[in-house]
Amino acid sequence: MKLSPTWRCGLLKAVLASVTLVSAAPSAFAQDAPAGVTPETAFIFNTLLFLIGGFLVMWMAAGFAMLEAGLVRSKNVAMQCTKNIGLYSIAGLMYWAVGYSLMYTGVDGGYMGTFAPYGFDSIGVLSPGDSATAEQTAAAAAASKGLLDTGYSTASDWFFQMVFVATAASIVSGTVAERVKIWAFFIFVIVLAGFIYPIAGSWKWGAGWLDAMGFQDFAGSTIVHSVGGWAALTGAIIIGARRGKYVNGKVMPMVASNIPLATLGTFILWLGWFGFNGASQLAAGSLTDVTAVSNIFANTNLAAAGGVVASLVLMQIIYGKVDVTMALNGALAGLVAITAEPLQPSPALSILIGAIGGAIVVFTVPLLDKLKIDDVVGAVPVHLFAGIFGTMVVPLSNSDASFGVQLTGVVAYGLFAIVTSAALWLILKFTIGVRVTEEEEEMGLDLADIGVEAYPEFGSGSQRIG
Amino acid sequence: MKLSPTWRCGLLKAVLASVTLVSAAPSAFAQDAPAGVTPETAFIFNTLLFLIGGFLVMWMAAGFAMLEAGLVRSKNVAMQCTKNIGLYSIAGLMYWAVGYSLMYTGVDGGYMGTFAPYGFDSIGVLSPGDSATAEQTAAAAAASKGLLDTGYSTASDWFFQMVFVATAASIVSGTVAERVKIWAFFIFVIVLAGFIYPIAGSWKWGAGWLDAMGFQDFAGSTIVHSVGGWAALTGAIIIGARRGKYVNGKVMPMVASNIPLATLGTFILWLGWFGFNGASQLAAGSLTDVTAVSNIFANTNLAAAGGVVASLVLMQIIYGKVDVTMALNGALAGLVAITAEPLQPSPALSILIGAIGGAIVVFTVPLLDKLKIDDVVGAVPVHLFAGIFGTMVVPLSNSDASFGVQLTGVVAYGLFAIVTSAALWLILKFTIGVRVTEEEEEMGLDLADIGVEAYPEFGSGSQRIG
Amino acid sequence: MKLSPTWRCGLLKAVLASVTLVSAAPSAFAQDAPAGVTPETAFIFNTLLFLIGGFLVMWMAAGFAMLEAGLVRSKNVAMQCTKNIGLYSIAGLMYWAVGYSLMYTGVDGGYMGTFAPYGFDSIGVLSPGDSATAEQTAAAAAASKGLLDTGYSTASDWFFQMVFVATAASIVSGTVAERVKIWAFFIFVIVLAGFIYPIAGSWKWGAGWLDAMGFQDFAGSTIVHSVGGWAALTGAIIIGARRGKYVNGKVMPMVASNIPLATLGTFILWLGWFGFNGASQLAAGSLTDVTAVSNIFANTNLAAAGGVVASLVLMQIIYGKVDVTMALNGALAGLVAITAEPLQPSPALSILIGAIGGAIVVFTVPLLDKLKIDDVVGAVPVHLFAGIFGTMVVPLSNSDASFGVQLTGVVAYGLFAIVTSAALWLILKFTIGVRVTEEEEEMGLDLADIGVEAYPEFGSGSQRIG
Amino acid sequence: MKMVMAVIKPPKLDDVRAALAELGVTGMTISAVQGHGRQKGQTEIYRGAEYDINFVPKVKVEAVVEDDRVSAVVDAITQAANTGKIGDGKIFVMAVEQSVRIRTGETDAAAL
Amino acid sequence: MKMVMAVIKPPKLDDVRAALAELGVTGMTISAVQGHGRQKGQTEIYRGAEYDINFVPKVKVEAVVEDDRVSAVVDAITQAANTGKIGDGKIFVMAVEQSVRIRTGETDAAAL
Amino acid sequence: MKMVMAVIKPPKLDDVRAALAELGVTGMTISAVQGHGRQKGQTEIYRGAEYDINFVPKVKVEAVVEDDRVSAVVDAITQAANTGKIGDGKIFVMAVEQSVRIRTGETDAAAL
Ligand SMILES: Nc1ncnc2c1ncn2[C@@H]1O[C@H](COP(=O)(O)OP(=O)(O)O)[C@@H](O)[C@H]1O
Ligand SMILES: Nc1ncnc2c1ncn2[C@@H]1O[C@H](COP(=O)(O)OP(=O)(O)O)[C@@H](O)[C@H]1O
Ligand SMILES: Nc1ncnc2c1ncn2[C@@H]1O[C@H](COP(=O)(O)OP(=O)(O)O)[C@@H](O)[C@H]1O
């Protein structure tokens, strides 16, 4: 059976919703058939937007994998690769099994959806073949009509939503790298992807209580990035810092093992973000929608560029050297900051928002270290701090947003994410344990748990001779 | 002259074919013009599907290059890069020169096509310009009409089919890595891409005898992956194992030199597979087709995720450590397994098929080692064994398939691929030789044949000082 | 205010222009509504072509980053990553601030555009919402109509044009790597992206004097690649060779530090080139246009393949070893060579053009070394020499081009690029300096200016112990 | 003069360096080595096949010191590098006949 | 005690290790080095320019043994590392005056 | 025979190799090491936190030569590796009691 998400049960409603939600309107030519876009053509455009946007966001999983593999020390690189391909897989399975329903069915202004079963659109029903009976033909017509009213194929929407939850999970894996137990982490991902994120998502995107209140978060600065960021921060505190990171009140840098890999990861994420933000327009079947997608592409790129330049300049001024890892984080912070509202800001405002995102990273990365919170890849500044900032400045460009409601959303998501993930990390801590032994940590997780070194022929720690 | 593949000589036929072949039907609204998709719009969608799918599959060439470069030892990495960019280039040229014709023209239920010349659609004819004569205008209209009936542009189809043959060739390069002579390998690719693969493809996709019989292989679990896998297996046996791999009945692991590179390669392949399977729907110009593409995306992702999780869990249970290279192979095996039929299975069945693919890898990689067959990257388990499995389970979800016919196809392709590639490898062996000298193998192919080391500044084997 | 580029101020004009410029005509069915493509549907296709082509070209920024990071020595890798992410960001900001206007507004057959302000299409105007006044509705209809006449969304065009300027800047960064000062380089990029490239672009693509003369350069062999190549060459001469590169008349190779990274970069560039050339058709909303895009994809791939095979074969014959870095350069040279005219050549001619591009690299890389011009990554042979070659052979397949005019263009762009970039490099040299100190160069720019080593745990030069 | 050559566990390098610094010994040369001894390497499994990593990463410290400082240096290293677990490493002392500081040409004690 | 220092071809390391193990010598320290001698490095061509790789990868094995085992150890290495081809390497023997096992503080023969 | 062990700046390796070649000394073994001495490592900042790189990359050259060539070799290295800047490195000379060429079994001077 096809799930007809109650929050958008027809093209008409969708179109109306988009007017109020993202200020994107139906084609000005919808009534004017030859000049306009037919519903089936629009359906195809919308579905393709989800598929193309979806594969771009899927690619972000590789981006996080490379970024994190580049930023950890070489003795933990294979582990980081394993965690990333594992979390992407687990997140997809959990989102299929429970998350999608929990996020989108029957939320109705409430606090979560249901566990209602759902299925993708049946090709067999839509297209019963040559020898179809009259009943089958009628059923096909009805099903096609229903689908057309929805405006996109269910599986395309599922695919696009699924890759978002993987993003949230990736954020966590970077922060708690180099010491968390692999299976504890995977269990965390199971719960995050199956329950925590979908419930959070339902509040806004599932048409829950925050949506009813008018909270605005276009592509998820708060829903995806801050929720992931809170889960990461909570994990970093509960699991504790890597041994040797903070010694006698001094920060002992544990430097990134592979800078070009981290750079590659950042470029992948940047590319994927065009899908993340662009396809969050949720429609491409009209002049207005595709123009909106275009504006989002431009603003997204400008914000990221602003983040890079701001962090480069600040690093040069403050430290006299342009630490490339900060520039990479700056790009991502710019992207996270614009994600809450990539459509309405002017290009100049987009650059500014991105630049402030970049500045936030430069100033808060050392701050976390002062608090002895060990965030290996800087995910908390990038995703949480820049995410909150981006969410709070939506009212600057979007007149449907208010600071009060935005703050309500930020606080509500913060409380929810902190409480649920703290509970989960603590349960894990007192059952199977969240942290590897001191010996394993020193030896490196690759030899301890993966059995394979990332670079067995290079380097001091892992050099093999003969 | 434009090739009009006889197997799909018009939109109407294509549409009918798709009903029976992949159970995807024409738009329910085709008769209902304003609501539906015009033929030219459908033409554009179909062509874009080929182009987008095609560039995603082209990207898989990079995926194979990175996967293999990551899994070989560092002294052979530059060689592996050379082989991969070389094979992709050679495969494309050969498929243009002979392969495409041989696969698609005049097969007519038979065993191979022809060497008939063909060309891409002439823009000059389609669009004669402002000063066109009446004849030219008439010719343009006729050409446009003919093309419209085909349903997609020839070059887009060529591009999409071309990248598939490169995939088959990539499979071989991984298995026989670290000892095959570069030019012997390239000659193998010339024949594989120009003749072996196109003839194999013609049997089914060129509307040859297996297609007539009802063999089902949606995107090529058998035609691409098993054929490549057989060629690889035959090569591994004829060329022999790397020196020092099997010593006194013991397997001496030769460990991967760069795990994040192999991980990146796997993510690239995963991304590319959306094009591989999704665009194998061959049409996106209707509600049904684009919905089918969406379902394929979702199922493809779920199968890969199933493959990853299955191999992670099995490795933990059996060996107590989660060898990441097995998880990477597990993802690919899940993808190969679903490739024979990514449309019809339910999501749950897709996960199961992928998971069994992942399990196949975990159990057959050590098996090959027991047989002293040295498959450097695990391509035989991934592409051949999971490919056979995927082909054999098509009847579970596709009522047009039967186990008997599937088995016939698997056996026929197996025999054909084994015989032709064994003959080719043996001819190469007894003429120019297939294997580098012992000294070259020990020194590494990079210094011996490329003249450039992959990592001249890292590591013991290749460390340069000063 | 929306910029309505005067050079293509309506769909009709665009269509006419495309007839003459790229010989692509309007849909044969434009008059035949049900069979054809509605203007709004065409608008969406055109816009999506820019967006998809644009993200592919954006991805080329990662390609250049990886290629260059792989080809420099490990002590300068983090610097090269920083320069690449920095230049992409700066180029985008400058092209937004001045470049786009300077390239496209009010050129009118002249030598440059204006600094006229412009904005992206306002979604608020296009879609005033439910409670719109009659005036707003009328304004929306008018705006939509105007946009429809343009044929694509402004931001999509901006995005696509913006990524091209980043390409030009990337070319420079590779050549002058390992010794140029980071901030001097960034200032160069500011001027290149904001002024030099846009003025150059305006001559042809902005409908300036060279366009009026009939100069042909489909996707920028000259405008993007040669201009970037001249800037790079000028820089290499003014900045001077890396210390120790030319000693007593002998060339001392400074070998690439990471071959798989360079290979990855090349594959990324190859993938991105489908966007670079394909989307330079500038329209996908008709049978003819999308067929043209398809032909471009096929020709682009064949040319690159020709470049690879030519350089592999030549290297084997001349040197007896197949230096992979030459094969990578060969692919890129093939791509650059076909970029001036990827649509009209037959496949066979495309292969030939690409192969000659590959040969150019094999012969001119050592030539530059003889002249003691130190081009770290081979960007001058690839982008400048192959670019000139590609531009000069356009008349072979495009009857609108003449050798004389092509030569005029090549010379004009050469003079302009040499003079402007020489002036700029010299100003930088005599003010802030263009070159790091001897000590910094020896220590490596990573430690000197970035503060972070690319591979702190590997290798001799940067090995950290304990 | 004597060459004191110590093979230690990599994480102990910093402690050893500090301990020597306290003695005023700052000249030393370090290298990444692999050790073989009572401490066994790991047995790992790669793609289902077992293999032994026969060697364990160690750091070699070489410091040339004047004869009268040898015992203090040896003691300092013994203490600083000690974890009490197998594989802590060894110290070997060898005679050095001549030392030169390349920069100045100074020799022997003055060269250290 | 003597330090037996052998510079051998990398692929021979495992044979040497095994040969020493048969003699009961399990303590040793290994490092990756580059050798220069009669065996010439490669001449390679990078982007059309020739260059010499002056050094050849070798492995250095350092084992401190008691005086009476030196000749057996030297013989064992000579045999195990021999391929008969140029570049097989050298063995050097030097005197060691003192040995300490860091873990226990044991010295001399007991420390090996 | 003596082992001449020099710790030098990496860019000087080629000059040292050439200087030794002029003396007819071609046998040597090289390794990448890290030095600690008067020349200080860098202070770097990673993500806003300062850290010291305590060690400086150096190259160790070990050449065993006959007794009568030691002073020439030491002089040649001293000259070739000299830049006059701090951190130029050291040369240490130690006695070698025995040398063997693995390929032939030749010993002592004949083995060098
Ligand atoms: N005889 C020896 N000669 C040289 N190095 C040795 C010798 N014995 C031990 N070593 C080095 O000391 C390290 C520690 O020795 P091991 O026997 O494992 O532990 P312990 O020092 O606790 O007895 C070894 O890994 C090796 O590097
Ligand atoms: N005099 C020497 N001092 C130190 N190491 C040496 C000396 N001579 C040779 N070696 C080392 O021994 C290795 C083999 O020596 P080589 O002369 O090439 O071959 P062979 O051992 O067959 O005579 C060299 O690569 C170098 O590492
Ligand atoms: N006592 C020593 N024992 C061993 N190596 C030493 C000693 N003193 C210095 N070195 C090595 O020599 C290098 C140069 O020494 P340093 O004191 O920095 O400069 P200089 O040689 O100019 O006095 C050091 O980096 C270290 O590798």
Side-chain angles (χ1 to χ4, degrees), chain F residues 93-107:
Chain F
V93 179
M94 285 177 279
V96 171
E97 303 183 347
Q98 192 185 341
S99 293
V100 182
R101 184 193 306 278
I102 290 172
R103 175 163 48 92
T104 57
E106 289 164 284
T107 54

Side-chain angles (χ1 to χ4, degrees), chain D residues 1 3 26-29 62-64 96 98-112, chain F residues 4-9 16 35-39 58-62 74 77-78 81-82 85-93:
Chain D
M1 293 152 300
M3 155 81 74
T26 57
M28 70 191 92
T29 298
E62 291 170 309
V64 176
V96 171
Q98 193 185 339
S99 294
V100 181
R101 184 192 306 276
I102 290 173
R103 176 165 47 94
T104 56
E106 289 164 285
T107 54
D108 299 336
L112 298 185
Chain F
V4 179
M5 171 181 170
V7 179
I8 61 172
K9 288 188 171 162
V16 169
H36 191 271
R38 301 195 189 179
Q39 183 195 6
K58 299 279 170 196
V59 165
K60 180 164 81 176
V61 179
E62 290 169 310
V74 168
I77 296 176
T78 310
N82 196 298
K85 293 201 201 113
I86 215 164
D88 272 353
K90 316 279 172 186
I91 307 173
F92 304 118
V93 179

Side-chain angles (χ1 to χ4, degrees), chain C residues 272-326:
Chain C
W273 231 287
F274 295 116
F276 201 96
N277 286 357
S280 287
Q281 173 69 10
L282 306 179
S286 72
L287 176 139
T288 306
D289 280 319
V290 81
T291 298
V293 174
S294 305
N295 290 4
I296 293 168
F297 268 55
N299 285 345
T300 299
N301 196 73
L302 288 167
V308 170
V309 172
S311 52
L312 285 175
V313 170
L314 285 171
M315 291 302 294
Q316 181 68 42
I317 291 171
I318 302 175
Y319 298 105
K321 296 198 177 181
V322 286
D323 182 340
V324 60
T325 67
M326 283 290 199

Side-chain angles (χ1 to χ4, degrees), chain D residues 7 33-40 56 58 85-90 92, chain E residues 3 25-30 62-65 101-103 111-112:
Chain D
V7 179
V33 298
Q34 303 284 324
H36 191 270
R38 302 194 187 178
Q39 184 194 8
K40 292 288 160 255
V56 186
K58 300 278 169 197
K85 292 202 201 112
I86 215 164
D88 272 353
K90 316 277 173 189
F92 304 118
Chain E
M3 156 80 72
V25 173
T26 56
M28 70 190 91
T29 298
I30 308 293
E62 290 170 309
V64 175
V65 297
R101 184 192 306 278
I102 291 172
R103 176 165 46 94
L112 299 183

Side-chain angles (χ1 to χ4, degrees), chain B residues 37-342:
Chain B
V37 179
T38 69
E40 190 174 1
T41 300
F43 179 96
I44 299 171
F45 280 127
N46 295 341
T47 299
L48 287 179
L49 182 73
F50 280 143
L51 295 179
I52 295 172
F55 77 60
L56 288 174
V57 184
M58 177 271 161
W59 184 224
M60 290 173 71
F64 281 108
M66 293 303 109
L67 178 65
E68 297 173 12
L71 291 181
V72 300
R73 288 167 296 167
S74 59
K75 65 183 177 180
N76 297 314
V77 167
M79 172 55 92
Q80 210 56 25
C81 292
T82 313
K83 279 179 188 155
N84 272 279
I85 198 162
L87 78 85
Y88 177 75
S89 301
I90 292 169
L93 296 178
M94 285 307 297
Y95 196 72
W96 168 76
V98 277
Y100 189 58
S101 263
L102 209 48
M103 187 153 160
Y104 285 119
T105 52
V107 185
D108 287 329
Y111 294 89
M112 60 186 283
T114 73
F115 292 99
Y118 67 98
F120 301 142
D121 312 311
S122 166
I123 303 300
V125 171
L126 288 170
S127 154
D130 277 347
S131 53
T133 63
E135 286 79 23
Q136 286 175 323
T137 310
S144 298
K145 185 69 178 52
L147 199 50
L148 207 61
D149 286 348
T150 304
Y152 52 82
S153 106
T154 306
S156 70
D157 180 56
W158 177 84
F159 181 64
F160 185 64
Q161 304 299 341
M162 179 273 296
V163 289
F164 273 60
V165 63
T167 298
S170 295
I171 294 166
V172 181
S173 88
T175 296
V176 301
E178 307 203 77
R179 75 263 203 208
V180 75
K181 275 190 177 176
I182 181 168
W183 292 102
F185 174 73
F186 281 156
I187 291 171
F188 190 90
V189 171
I190 287 173
V191 179
L192 181 71
F195 305 94
I196 298 177
Y197 171 83
I199 290 173
S202 76
W203 296 358
K204 165 65 189 162
W205 292 339
W209 67 282
L210 271 169
D211 186 49
M213 209 182 237
F215 179 66
Q216 303 294 329
D217 189 6
F218 193 91
S221 282
T222 287
I223 299 167
V224 180
H225 294 279
S226 294
V227 166
W230 286 118
L233 178 61
T234 318
I237 292 171
I238 291 172
I239 300 169
R242 287 167 292 175
R243 279 172 229 272
K245 180 72 197 284
Y246 305 109
V247 177
N248 307 330
K250 258 199 82 180
V251 183
M252 313 297 280
M254 295 176 163
V255 301
S257 59
N258 193 326
I259 293 296
L261 216 54
T263 305
L264 175 65
T266 303
F267 271 116
I268 293 175
L269 289 168
W270 192 326
L271 172 60
W273 231 286
F274 295 116
F276 201 96
N277 287 356
S280 286
Q281 172 69 11
L282 306 178
S286 72
L287 175 140
T288 305
D289 280 320
V290 82
T291 299
V293 174
S294 305
N295 290 5
I296 293 169
F297 267 56
N299 285 345
T300 298
N301 196 74
L302 288 168
V308 169
V309 172
S311 52
L312 285 175
V313 170
L314 284 171
M315 290 303 293
Q316 181 68 44
I317 292 172
I318 301 176
Y319 298 106
K321 295 197 177 181
V322 286
D323 181 342
V324 60
T325 67
M326 284 290 200
L328 303 179
N329 276 182
L332 301 180
L335 289 163
V336 170
I338 201 68
T339 292
E341 182 51 79

Side-chain angles (χ1 to χ4, degrees), chain C residues 398-456:
Chain C
N398 183 340
S399 57
D400 292 332
S402 81
F403 286 108
V405 174
Q406 295 302 96
L407 188 62
T408 308
V410 165
V411 171
Y413 278 114
L415 288 176
F416 176 69
I418 293 170
V419 170
T420 51
S421 49
L424 184 49
W425 284 123
L426 289 170
I427 291 172
L428 289 168
K429 182 168 179 168
F430 294 114
T431 51
I432 64 172
V434 287
R435 187 165 184 134
V436 300
T437 65
E438 181 167 354
E439 199 176 46
E440 288 170 325
E441 194 175 338
E442 187 177 286
M443 175 197 294
L445 306 188
D446 291 0
L447 279 177
D449 291 332
I450 305 296
V452 170
E453 292 169 287
Y455 309 108

